[in-house]
Amino acid sequence: MLRKKKTLEKNHFGLYFVLPYVLLFILVQLIPMIYTFVLSLNRWDGMRDKVFLGFDNYKRLLTDQMFYKAIYNTTIIWAMNIIPRMALALFCAVLLTRKNMKGVNTYKAILYFPNIVTAASIATLFAFLFNWKIGFVNIALMNIGIISEPIKWLREPILTQSLAAVIVLWMWFGYAVILFMSGMLAISNDMYEAAEIDGASEWQQFWKVTMPNLKGAFSYVFITALIGGLQNFDIPNLLTDGKGSPERSIMTITMYMHSQAFEARQYGYGSTIAYALLIIVLIVSMFAFNIINGKKSRL
Amino acid sequence: MKKKHKKIGSYIFLTLLAFICIVPFYVMVINATHASKDIVTNFLLLPGKNIVENYHNMMSVMNPWRMLLNSIYITVPATILTAYVGALTAYGFSVYRFKGDSVLFWIVLSTMMIPEQMLIIGIFHVFRIVGITNSFIPIILPQVAKAATVFWLKGYLDQVLDKALLEAARVEGMGEFRIFHAIGLPLMKPGIATISIFNFVTVWNNFIMPLSMLSTPKKYPISMGIAIMRRLEPLDLGAVYIMLLISVLPILLIYIFFSKYIIGDVTSGALKG
């Protein structure tokens, strides 16, 4: 009885330990969140007085063609890379977790490397490599004889969007490989042996044993890819001129928010877009959680 | 026989992918050693002799070394603070049961749901109101409260901590904070090391925060420097590529030294955040 009391006596210390984080949360998350909402109800250039607009900014947003284009651009870049990314990562993970594979750690290290490099560097590098006049890609392709005319990679909207998608894929599939691999290595061999005894082929074993046990890793990779994809900024911003060229085709939601707030100095409207981003992320996350958990219960 | 074909096929496929992952960087290095006019006209696969000239051309436009220093000024404090605050918080949740602990835990959890980019405008103005502009502080502080770090360290601590150790220390009259520093923190060291490498890389690579908070080029970290080079006209291609090379080098070095930690421990997945 006495021992228990002593431990309980100290429990309030937990509050002190957690306090710094909570204070930071209030300072850099809660207060900015509230202030951003306040700003979204105003028109403000950062210098002159704020002009109260009520919900006019939100009404404006709902009829803003550029906003819808930004959503479309963000979504299409994401949609173009998510399935190839996960399929490729799964495939690599399967190959690398096979018995007696040599050099696994080296492959892992190389495939993951693009993820560690600064996105800004990668975007800039690819911007110059795919420049239609002076870029290495066109020079190489023409020298090898695959094409006779330079391809205007970053002058065609659909090509630019595709390239942005490919870059994201290139940067992130290695990350998924590592997560899938650790998920696969956690599956006990007994399950595979049992399936093999039942006569299952490697393909069937993958779907009956591997995939169901990868639910956790799969969900995590998918949801983080989803939320990350919605906030795509560095790559589309630096791949072309920062305004989404060509034809605003890679202007993402965050790019639009940033340009309205910090370039056009419309902090009020920029804040409205910020809240739209928040709402979109929350809705999409909830949707994704429901789909994934829905599938779970059906198993 | 089929098994052998499968095996060879696997190695070919994986090697091809590895090649694709490396080639852009290889081209970057090669181009950094050639003069701008050669890069534009020739199909170059081997190193050239213009690296010194390119370096001087780059230096006449910007100083990446000062930018790397700025990156260090931002990233090192951020990483240390994140680790310390993360450890404190994880320890608090792991060791104690106090009033409101589930509410606070939920708050930490919910911070993961807020897209950090939406806060940038608010952070900029909140710090501006207290007189802090064009400083590293609004870049560092928002990147310190990382829920993923707390969860990672709490999970780690739950596994390695024996509460009997704490009791023994209390019996000897040690205060709770002293116990944290003497027992809790050392126990968490490996976990802290792993998560700190990720946090370091994440903060180092961050572009949107310095872009939004800084207004004088001499304070720009390397991620901003890359953006400057991207937007420069007219430009010397050789200078661009050598700048890119310098920007990638620190990361490459960190990766070579720490890849064991980075790759070996990306298991629970609750790391990047």
Side-chain angles (χ1 to χ4, degrees), chain A residues 102 109 115 118 220 237-238, chain B residues 11 205 230-231 255 269 272:
Chain A
K102 300 271 186 338
N115 194 273
T118 318
Y220 180 79
N237 192 37
L238 290 174
Chain B
Y11 283 112
N205 289 342
R230 173 73 185 95
R231 305 266 180 252
Y255 195 56
K272 293 240 166 150

Side-chain angles (χ1 to χ4, degrees), chain A residues 88-109:
Chain A
L88 185 63
L90 269 175
F91 190 61
C92 288
V94 167
L95 293 183
L96 287 169
T97 50
R98 278 216 181 120
K99 279 184 273 231
N100 300 322
M101 278 304 277
K102 300 271 186 338
V104 169
N105 282 329
T106 309
Y107 281 121
K108 263 166 110 177

Side-chain angles (χ1 to χ4, degrees), chain B residues 23 66 73 111 118 124 138 157 179 220 224 230 271:
Chain B
V23 155
R66 183 172 55 207
Y73 286 149
T111 63
M118 74 145 299
F124 176 74
L157 192 61
I179 296 178
Y220 285 177
M224 293 287 296
R230 173 73 185 95
L271 296 177

Side-chain angles (χ1 to χ4, degrees), chain B residues 27-181:
Chain B
V27 175
M28 174 186 81
V29 171
I30 295 293
N31 283 347
T33 63
H34 284 277
S36 200
K37 55 179 169 55
D38 294 326
I39 300 175
V40 169
T41 49
N42 301 334
F43 183 25
L44 304 162
L45 291 175
L46 295 171
K49 307 194 196 109
N50 292 81
I51 192 165
V52 176
E53 189 189 322
N54 287 340
Y55 180 78
H56 286 305
N57 290 340
M58 173 198 67
M59 288 303 286
S60 68
V61 171
M62 54 149 45
N63 183 354
W65 308 110
R66 183 172 55 207
M67 290 173 169
L68 287 174
L69 205 61
N70 288 333
S71 286
I72 292 177
Y73 286 149
I74 294 173
T75 312
V76 169
T79 306
I80 294 176
L81 281 173
T82 307
Y84 191 65
V85 170
L88 279 172
T89 317
Y91 186 83
F93 282 127
S94 181
V95 171
Y96 306 95
R97 294 282 160 273
F98 52 96
K99 223 191 301 183
D101 61 358
S102 39
V103 171
L104 289 176
F105 193 76
W106 192 88
I107 287 182
V108 172
L109 185 64
S110 67
T111 63
M112 288 182 96
M113 294 264 73
I114 302 174
E116 35 193 38
Q117 293 171 335
M118 74 145 299
L119 296 171
I120 290 175
I121 302 172
I123 291 171
F124 176 74
H125 285 290
V126 164
F127 278 92
R128 195 177 166 215
I129 288 174
V130 295
I132 298 177
T133 55
N134 193 29
S135 132
F136 291 155
I137 294 178
I139 301 175
I140 295 174
L141 286 186
Q143 302 195 68
V144 170
K146 284 196 161 74
T149 300
V150 172
F151 294 138
W152 170 260
L153 289 177
K154 178 175 183 304
Y156 192 85
L157 192 61
D158 287 342
Q159 284 195 320
V160 303
L161 182 64
D162 183 355
K163 299 227 175 132
L165 276 173
L166 307 179
E167 273 308 313
R170 285 187 193 120
V171 164
E172 286 185 35
M174 270 178 135
E176 295 303 299
F177 281 105
R178 203 156 154 234
I179 296 178
F180 168 73
H181 287 103

Side-chain angles (χ1 to χ4, degrees), chain A residues 3 6-7 10-18 20-22 24-25 27-29 31-33 35-36 39 44 46-47 88 91-92 95-96 98-102 105 107-129 133-134 136 139-140 143-144 170 172-173 175 178-179 182 202 220 227 231-234 237-242 254 257-258 261-262 267 270-271 274-275 277-278 281-282 285 289, chain B residues 6-7 10-11 13-15 17-18 20-22 24-25 27-28 31 39-45 85 88-89 91-93 95-99 104 107-108 110-111 113-129 141-142 144-147 150 167 170-171 176-177 180 198 201 204-208 211-212 223 226-227 229-231 235 237 240-241 244 247-248 251-252 255 259 262-264 266-272:
Chain A
R3 182 62 74 78
K6 204 167 189 178
T7 326
K10 303 285 181 190
N11 264 331
H12 66 280
F13 267 91
L15 196 63
Y16 304 138
F17 279 95
V18 172
Y21 189 100
V22 175
L24 265 173
F25 162 74
L27 176 67
V28 298
Q29 297 209 359
I31 294 179
M33 255 192 101
Y35 194 67
T36 307
L39 282 183
W44 192 42
M47 307 247 229
L88 185 63
F91 190 61
C92 288
L95 293 183
L96 287 169
R98 278 216 181 120
K99 279 184 273 231
N100 300 322
M101 278 304 277
K102 300 271 186 338
N105 282 329
Y107 281 121
K108 263 166 110 177
I110 297 178
L111 297 182
Y112 185 60
F113 182 61
N115 194 273
I116 294 254
V117 177
T118 318
S121 296
I122 292 179
T124 305
L125 176 61
F126 276 71
F128 284 106
L129 291 179
K133 267 186 288 182
I134 58 174
F136 177 81
I139 292 176
N143 262 284
I144 301 179
W170 183 79
W172 287 94
F173 87 99
Y175 175 66
I178 294 181
L179 286 175
S182 65
E202 193 174 356
Y220 180 79
I227 298 181
Q231 299 179 67
N232 205 355
F233 179 79
D234 296 14
N237 192 37
L238 290 174
L239 189 61
T240 55
D241 63 1
T254 309
M257 176 196 84
H258 189 271
F262 292 96
Y267 291 111
S271 299
Y275 260 84
L277 176 64
L278 173 66
V281 167
L282 289 178
S285 307
F289 271 123
Chain B
K6 258 193 190 167
K7 262 237 148 118
S10 305
Y11 283 112
F13 183 76
L14 288 169
T15 307
L17 273 182
I20 293 175
C21 286
I22 296 182
F25 298 112
V27 175
M28 174 186 81
N31 283 347
I39 300 175
V40 169
T41 49
N42 301 334
F43 183 25
L44 304 162
L45 291 175
V85 170
L88 279 172
T89 317
Y91 186 83
F93 282 127
V95 171
Y96 306 95
R97 294 282 160 273
F98 52 96
K99 223 191 301 183
L104 289 176
I107 287 182
V108 172
S110 67
T111 63
M113 294 264 73
I114 302 174
E116 35 193 38
Q117 293 171 335
M118 74 145 299
L119 296 171
I120 290 175
I121 302 172
I123 291 171
F124 176 74
H125 285 290
V126 164
F127 278 92
R128 195 177 166 215
I129 288 174
L141 286 186
V144 170
K146 284 196 161 74
V150 172
E167 273 308 313
R170 285 187 193 120
V171 164
E176 295 303 299
F177 281 105
F180 168 73
F198 278 103
V201 171
W204 182 275
N205 289 342
N206 189 298
F207 171 57
I208 197 171
L211 177 68
S212 312
S223 53
I226 296 158
M229 217 51 171
R230 173 73 185 95
R231 305 266 180 252
L235 41 73
L237 269 187
V240 171
Y241 281 107
L244 283 172
S247 79
V248 172
I251 297 169
L252 183 60
Y255 195 56
S259 68
I262 298 175
I263 302 172
V266 184
T267 45
S268 72
L271 296 177
K272 293 240 166 150

Side-chain angles (χ1 to χ4, degrees), chain A residues 70-86 161-162 164-166 168-169 172 221-232 236 252 284 287-288 291:
Chain A
I71 295 181
Y72 173 76
N73 295 337
T74 310
T75 308
I76 201 156
I77 293 175
W78 177 84
M80 282 200 277
N81 83 71
I82 185 64
I83 295 179
R85 187 204 307 192
M86 298 195 67
Q161 289 169 336
S162 305
V166 165
V168 173
L169 197 169
W172 287 94
V221 170
F222 184 76
I223 295 204
T224 49
L226 194 55
I227 298 181
L230 283 170
Q231 299 179 67
N232 205 355
T252 60
V284 168
F287 204 62
I291 292 184

Side-chain angles (χ1 to χ4, degrees), chain A residues 182-200:
Chain A
S182 65
M184 285 179 186
L185 291 171
I187 304 174
S188 82
N189 255 319
D190 301 341
M191 297 186 81
Y192 287 110
E193 277 167 23
E196 211 170 332
I197 292 174
D198 284 347

